[in-house]
């Protein structure tokens, strides 16, 4: 199968970096094809604007969705957006590897979504949720939390992690038609021993070996 | 009172831009002092990294929170971060003006949080939630949605808007001690008549006239 891993962390030596590299290695060992978007390495620009496009629909008022619809018609996306769109379209499974920052995607990864998930290409014209463009594809968040697991439960300091991840699960992934797999969660890797971190990496590799056998999760309707 | 309005939209002529300008005008008319962070105008860089700092704690492994703790001790934040921290500390009320993109903050505004909400300055050492650094300050999201209101209710296309905003309400604002005011919500301004948009701006101005009399909302524990 074809897997795209989209990854951001500002430190390549981080545990997130190790998870990213382990995913590539494990998936390739299973015979899958892997493409990556290492956003830090790419120095991807997360800011949306006219530089998303080579085409121009309205030069006097910038409405991104209208520019995206026009660019879809005239093949007017900038090379960096086009390259990401092609990887998305190519993939059977998309993995996001990132640290949870402020209960959400770090800006770089959010900006990748803001710019690449373009109207016309990725949604629009009634194509969303069960009729979404990416219907038949799977997606999974692989996410690290700074705090311990008991801080991320209902009644805990931060509340239920499912509720925290739900805007991404539903608003980004399910919205565009992906079947959402259960998130891969690691709590407090910075406070683990090296042995514990290696056990987490091994767990992840084991899971990835049979990832295409997994049933998707239901994305909550809060 | 002192109000900071943090705003991002890629088109200054947008309805978000009009909401931003109307807030400034209304608050000043009430005798409040207003400072702004117009992130598009500032071309703010939303990407975190060593450029957040003039100091360096560990040159071999970049762990942002440790660099933030160190910078707090040695006055080592870059000038652009320091300027935003000073505005935050100065304010009695912080307003975020933005379009909801992919069920969350647009990357620019998320990156402003990622970079400016620094450990040591804004949280850490047991200072969070009810003991948060910004205890006594208020914060409010002023947000526009592309879709209609009935798409943002439980059982609707996107589910309950409170659940969508909750990671920002709880994970960004309540976490750092802010009392959270009810969000100002406008649905589908692009599909409104000019008269309807002006009515929304008037409603917002009316609300802002007595904003400091409002009781905060409870941030849900999903």
């Amino acid at each position: 199968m074809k897997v795209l891993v989209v990854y951001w962390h500002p430190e390549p030596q981080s545990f997130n970096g190790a998870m990213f590299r382990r995913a590539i290695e494990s998936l390739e060992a299973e015979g899958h094809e892997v493409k990556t978007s290492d956003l830090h390495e790419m120095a991807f620009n997360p800011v949306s604007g006219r530089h998303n496009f080579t085409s121009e629909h309205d030069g006097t008022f910038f409405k991104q969705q209208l520019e995206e619809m026009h660019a879809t018609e005239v093949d007017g996306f900038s090379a960096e957006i086009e390259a990401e769109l092609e990887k998305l379209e190519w993939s059977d499974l998309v993995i996001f590897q990132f640290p949870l920052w402020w209960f959400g995607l770090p800006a770089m990864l959010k900006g990748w979504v803001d710019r690449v998930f373009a109207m016309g290409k990725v949604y629009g014209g009634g194509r969303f949720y069960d009729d979404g463009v990416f219907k038949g594809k799977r997606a999974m968040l692989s996410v690290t939390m700074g705090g311990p697991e008991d801080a991320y439960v209902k009644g805990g300091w931060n509340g239920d992690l499912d509720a925290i991840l739900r805007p991404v699960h539903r608003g980004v992934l399910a919205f565009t038609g992906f079947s959402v797999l259960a998130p891969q969660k690691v709590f407090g890797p910075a406070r683990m021993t090296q042995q514990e971190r290696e056990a987490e990496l091994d767990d992840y590799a084991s899971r990835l070996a049979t990832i295409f056998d997994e049933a998707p999760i239901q994305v909550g309707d809060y």
Side-chain angles (χ1 to χ4, degrees), chain A residues 187-208:
Chain A
F187 296 91
R191 279 184 290 274
M192 288 179 183
T193 64
Q194 186 58 24
Q195 200 174 18
E196 287 170 328
R197 279 192 287 268
E198 282 170 13
E200 291 284 356
L201 292 165
D202 289 345
D203 282 353
Y204 187 37
S206 298
R207 180 180 176 192
L208 290 173

Side-chain angles (χ1 to χ4, degrees), chain A residues 21-98:
Chain A
R21 289 184 294 274
R22 188 62 175 269
I24 299 166
E25 181 190 308
S26 308
L27 291 162
E28 289 183 342
E30 294 294 323
H32 302 305
E33 279 184 82
V34 180
K35 294 188 179 184
T36 60
S37 295
D38 179 344
L39 301 177
H40 176 74
E41 170 74 20
M42 292 158 71
F44 187 81
N45 176 7
V47 181
S48 290
R50 292 203 182 272
H51 54 281
N52 293 11
F53 310 101
T54 55
S55 56
E56 185 177 84
H57 165 68
D58 183 345
T60 65
F61 188 105
F62 179 72
K63 171 94 175 150
Q64 185 161 319
Q65 290 173 317
L66 296 182
E67 296 295 334
E68 287 170 348
M69 294 287 282
H70 180 66
T72 300
E73 281 170 33
V74 301
D75 201 14
F77 289 96
S78 68
E80 62 176 343
I81 303 298
E82 188 61 38
E84 299 306 302
L85 281 166
E86 284 172 14
K87 283 186 269 188
L88 269 175
E89 287 159 10
W90 166 88
S91 66
D92 299 304
L93 166 65
V94 179
I95 299 174
F96 286 19
Q97 179 66 53
F98 64 100

Side-chain angles (χ1 to χ4, degrees), chain A residues 125-161:
Chain A
R127 297 170 304 157
F128 46 86
Y129 291 117
D130 291 344
D131 300 313
V133 168
F134 294 142
K135 187 169 178 157
K137 297 181 191 290
R138 297 163 172 88
M140 177 178 70
L141 305 182
S142 177
V143 54
T144 61
M145 275 56 65
E149 188 161 10
D150 63 10
Y152 292 94
V153 296
K154 195 167 158 67
W157 274 109
N158 298 323
D160 181 17
L161 184 58

